[in-house]
Amino acid sequence: LPNIITNLEGIRRFHVDCNCLSGSLPDLPRSFPFLKELNLSNQQCCPDLNSSNIGLSGSVPDGLSNLFDLAELDLSENSISGSIPSDIGNLPRLKTFNVSNNIMTSTVPYNLGKLWNSIAVFDVSRNKLRGTIPSVLGTFEDAAVHVRNNGGFIHPAPMTLCFDVSGFDLRHNPTVCPLERNTLRHFYISAKGQEWTESMGWDDEYADHCSYYGVVCNDESQVVELHLANNGLSGTLTEKVKNLKFLRRLDLSDNDIKGSIPSGVGELQHLDHLRLSYNAFTGEVPTDLENLQNLRLLHLHGNRLTGTMPPIPSDFLTGVSSFVSDCGVPSDFGTPIRCPECTMCCNLAGNCQSTEIPTSFQDEVLGFDIHQQFSWVFGISLATYMMFLLIGSFAYDRLSESRSYYDRSMKERDKKYALNKIGSGSVYSFFLTKNWVAWFIAVIVMGIQAWILAIFVEAAKLEFVDDNSDFIYSWRCPRNEIECDDTADQDVEGWIMFAVLMASHLLSDLLNGSKLLVLSAKRRHSLCERARFFVGGSCLIFITAFTVYASSVYNVAIARSNTDIVINSVIILFVTQVDEQLFIVFSAASPKSMKKVERHLKQDIKKPLPPKDDDDDLIFDVVEHVEDQSKRSQTKITNYFREVSEDISAEVEPKAEAVVTGRWDEEQFDGERQLSIRFDSPKTRGKTLAPESAAAVIGVREKIDRYDEHNTDDEEQMMRLH
């Protein structure tokens, strides 16, 4: 081609591609001042004419910037050398720039970035270009950018060129555009990297991705750790994170990442540490997390996750802080996330509680897993203790052969002792009476005490889905630490104070209840009396033991300091005073009824003692047993007595007409225990009464003799006794 082509100034398109032209390029601006398209490509396609033709050579002439209307410049497949003129970037309408398959050297001018608004094809492939690929090529988002087969380029290519330009021919080349760097670019943009607190290297076009802030690589430049905790991340977590195939640790805690947790996280097979805590993740936890077989730490608390946690493999999640989520109460939602495998549950306030510690005091002390299971054991233990007392006392009473069995004074002292131990100012003393109204009141009061204590026990249960529990979470999982800490300050000193309080207030009740059980096994008392002693003692023991248990449970649940232990114990100890306070209330509400109950109690307890007779070792006082028999037996006894005393109501003399004597058949003492009664009255002479009836007669006679000895002037009382 001539240097200057004349007479063609008005030409717009000049296409002479695929010919055998040679030599240098003409002065294009002077030859074609209004040129829009110039195609001088492939001047080596004439093998028949000259097999040695190398096509056009030389360099691209300067001044191309003067071709303001130039839209296509194709000089490919020639032997053009030199550098790419930088003023080509000043061609505002240039859409195609193709200088491929030449021998051009030097670098790609940075000024070419000005073509971003018009360029559609940018091809500099198969040359000898060197240096770095200018980052401005990353602005050619909609263009086809070809740079392959330039052995002198320094890799990697600009990050934006790899990430933003879909037409970049080396985009998938792992050397030019590392996949993990592209993934990190996705991550950076998705998490609004421009707003991060620290982002060194992340926005550097040419930086090695292993040098990014928070990125740790292995010897093969594979990303194995990503630590960006408390770094101002927001936006969302990209699904592309799954491309970090060798990632072992991902810590994005204490940021403001929103949206859902991408399911791609579940494809990170090598992941052993995952911390997404203290962000704004919503929705359900992806089920793909169950594929993470190597997890040793999983923190998802401090988010707004819902639903049920998938069954995460827990072979390595063994530490108390290894698996933490928002499965505690209260929650942002009505029901917190369900997480059976979690080792720590946190609530809305950021307080946490280990799920591996016992959920109540019974579990902690005795190792029971279920509250109901311990309740059974607790009840059986109390029953065993009481049976031990009864059996031991009964055996001792049998083996001792004590004369106290026959001593009525001992019986009276036992009754006074029992009243003293229960307390005359307590509703529990009503258990010692025969009044059914008093018994009903005592049972109601005991039920109230047990109900109040049961409320404390129920409120102390650690239920991660029940917001009614008073359990105070004592653990904290700091934002900047992996391990959670137990902030409870109570120690041995606090529990010693607890033991002192319980012993000083309740030990006497436990001992007194035990003594009443011992009395209930004494044969010198009637069955009804023994039953009353047993019920009174059992109630004292039960309420005392239940109070200690409830106080212990509640302190474990909410006491977080030694002073808390003391305060809670004192509050619950007030429950033990309910029986006495209600006694006062009943006395104020119905004083007549209470006086009647007290009068019955005193009449049952404070009976006159009989005169002592050391020689009378065959007449035994068993009248109290008879008095508790059925109404039918009482009627039978009355009829027998009337036969004995023909007209006793007319007599005021202490000596009855019926002279009653009795004799035990000692040979049958351990057998039928028959009692023979001999009467001097003609109507009853020679008759033998049943033991109960005979004992009744003897008892009435003793009352007459006893009262005659001490109260001979009270004829009205004498008449009543007769």
Side-chain angles (χ1 to χ4, degrees), residues 686-704:
K687 289 187 177 182
T688 300
L689 302 182
E692 293 83 2
S693 303
V697 176
I698 296 173
V700 174
R701 177 51 193 255
E702 287 182 349
K703 288 183 180 181
I704 294 174

Side-chain angles (χ1 to χ4, degrees), residues 476-502:
R476 299 290 184 275
C477 296
R479 294 171 177 265
N480 60 339
E481 295 182 12
I482 293 179
E483 295 297 328
C484 301
D485 301 318
D486 189 357
T487 60
D489 295 328
Q490 74 270 31
D491 53 24
V492 176
E493 183 180 5
W495 290 109
I496 291 176
M497 291 189 291
F498 167 81
V500 171
L501 282 173
M502 293 295 108

Side-chain angles (χ1 to χ4, degrees), residues 558-579:
I558 73 169
R560 296 298 173 253
S561 65
N562 292 338
T563 53
D564 286 345
I565 293 177
V566 174
I567 293 172
N568 296 334
S569 301
V570 171
I571 292 174
I572 296 179
L573 282 173
F574 276 118
V575 178
T576 61
Q577 306 299 319
V578 168
D579 57 314

Side-chain angles (χ1 to χ4, degrees), residues 156 159 174-175 177-185 200-202 204-218 220-226 244:
M159 179 170 54
T175 303
C177 295
L179 176 61
E180 290 187 332
R181 191 184 67 163
N182 288 346
T183 300
L184 293 176
R185 181 64 179 176
M200 183 184 68
W202 284 83
D204 190 324
E205 292 284 355
Y206 301 100
D208 181 5
H209 64 279
C210 293
S211 65
Y212 291 179
Y213 173 79
V215 176
V216 178
C217 294
N218 57 19
E220 288 77 29
S221 296
Q222 298 164 338
V223 178
V224 294
E225 296 184 16
L226 184 56
L244 301 176

